[in-house]
């Protein structure tokens, strides 16, 4: 198994400038020609149903392992270590997102160039799986916030790497007419996974180790099933026309928007939308606890009820949006509709102080997120630059649109919660937070709808 990283002969600034046109931050093409099916690259025919089922199951497992700690487990542990310090959750989440922000493109770029008998993507899925599993005892047994932050960083890097590798496999394998439907299926699993996970850990809310370990165990089992059955073709025959230098690696973290304008506009719209989404998801447990006057550990039961009710809307949004967008050959109307629905849900939640109103807001949010995410993912695959050669790299860059908000949005959210709020626990300004989230989500959908040209 080899990954070419350094040019043993070196490369001076003049040679680098000669290879990379001024203003172009894109990495030079690493492959001499598109990969054949046997080499692990390129789209070759329909993906069989068995592979899709296992892919969806693996996405479900990785999603549960990755999202449940963020949505519930970390808040419970934080309430034990630092009661009343809501803003500390934002800091913990931001550090983890910053780490993935740095590492996600690296793993994507290296997997594009990986030559191994196990293919390009599978080894990185395994590495992510091992790191994610190792994070469980660190988080569950953390004696202070610093160790909890280290554990969460390991978790988000590990499971993020595994999930991104599954996404790269989709970019390699799915033909255009399957992208909307499969994106819809994986989208709904990402909506349902945390719901099932929260219901599961709710039975053990007073046993911290199980609260962290159960979602990770589900993730390990389902991802391993995918790895054991679904083939990632041998990539040892892949031909690279030049080695990847350190300078080239750094340049590969960016791209020239002028050469891929639709990819750039889609990136910007997703960035704005996910900024709004992250504002709300970072503080859900504390929001529900404040509005319903509950203890933080007791929120699991309410979240389970509310989230379980949203399974139908998540399914309708993901499967309906993905299938219909394939059927009618249009993506942008569904993306705008998803943004509008999410913004409406945030607006309802902003003024909710009872369970029925919270449920209405959550259902609208769920429908909007599912519709937007599934169709925006399909649109991303439609406009992905250089799919044959650098799918992993551009999928990692696309992931920036979700990871950068994860760095600053929780910290920004903590500041917004303090606006006009009095002192003490339960005084946070969630109304301002949810209204800001609504405005950002709508703006993100509008950017994609008005600016992307090559996809209707």
């Amino acid at each position: 198994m080899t990954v070419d990283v350094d040019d043993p002969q070196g490369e001076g600034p003049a040679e680098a400038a000669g290879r990379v046109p001024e203003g172009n931050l894109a990495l030079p093409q690493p492959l001499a020609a598109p990969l054949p099916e046997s080499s692990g690259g390129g789209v070759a025919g329909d993906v069989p149903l068995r592979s899709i089922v296992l892919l969806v199951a693996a996405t479900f497992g990785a999603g549960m392992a990755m999202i449940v700690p963020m949505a519930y487990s970390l808040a419970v542990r934080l309430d034990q270590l630092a009661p009343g310090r809501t803003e500390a959750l934002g800091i913990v989440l931001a550090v983890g997102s910053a780490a993935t922000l740095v590492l996600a493109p690296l793993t994507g770029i290296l997997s594009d160039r990986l030559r191994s008998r196990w293919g390009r993507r599978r080894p990185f899925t395994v590495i992510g799986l091992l790191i994610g599993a190792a994070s469980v005892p660190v988080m569950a047994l953390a004696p202070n916030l610093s160790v909890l932050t280290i554990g969460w960083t390991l978790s988000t890097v590990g499971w993020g790497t595994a999930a991104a590798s599954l996404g790269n496999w989709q970019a390699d394998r799915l033909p255009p007419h399957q992208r909307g439907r499969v994106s819809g299926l994986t989208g709904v699993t990402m909506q349902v996974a945390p719901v099932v996970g929260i219901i599961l850990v709710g039975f053990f809310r007073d046993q911290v180790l199980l609260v962290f370990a159960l979602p990770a165990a589900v993730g390990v089992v389902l991802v391993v099933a995918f790895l054991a059955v679904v083939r990632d073709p041998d990539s040892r025959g892949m031909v690279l026309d030049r080695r990847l230098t350190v300078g080239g690696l750094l340049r590969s973290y960016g791209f020239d928007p002028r050469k891929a304008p639709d990819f750039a506009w889609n990136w910007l719209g997703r960035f704005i939308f996910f900024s709004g989404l992250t504002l709300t998801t970072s503080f859900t447990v504390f929001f529900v606890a404040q509005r319903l006057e509950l203890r933080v550990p007791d929120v699991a039961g309410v979240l389970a009820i509310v989230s379980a009710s949203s399974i139908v809307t998540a399914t309708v949004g993901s499967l309906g949006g993905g299938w219909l967008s394939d059927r009618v050959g249009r993506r942008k109307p569904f993306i705008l509709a998803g943004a509008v629905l999410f913004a409406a849900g945030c607006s309802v939640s902003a003024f909710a102080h009872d369970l029925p109103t919270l449920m209405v807001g959550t259902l609208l949010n769920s429908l909007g997120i599912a519709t937007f995410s599934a169709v925006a993912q399909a649109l991303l695959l439609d406009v992905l630059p250089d799919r044959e050669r650098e799918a992993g790299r551009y999928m990692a860059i696309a992931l920036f649109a979700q990871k950068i908000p994860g760095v600053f949005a929780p910290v920004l959210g903590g500041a917004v919660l303090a606006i006009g709020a009095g002192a003490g626990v339960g005084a946070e300004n969630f109304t301002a937070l949810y209204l800001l989230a609504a405005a950002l989500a709508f703006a993100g959908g509008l950017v994609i709808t008005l600016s992307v040209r090559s996809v209707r």
Side-chain angles (χ1 to χ4, degrees), residues 5 27 105-107 109-110 244-254:
V5 178
L27 183 71
L106 178 62
T107 56
I109 294 158
L110 294 181
L244 178 60
T245 64
V246 174
L249 181 62
L250 294 176
R251 286 192 297 273
S252 68
Y253 276 64

Side-chain angles (χ1 to χ4, degrees), residues 352-377:
H353 289 274
D354 55 68
L355 183 57
T357 310
L358 279 177
M359 290 189 67
V360 171
T362 300
L363 292 176
L364 287 171
N365 280 343
S366 171
L367 182 60
I369 295 169
T371 303
F372 179 93
S373 298
V375 184
Q377 180 71 9

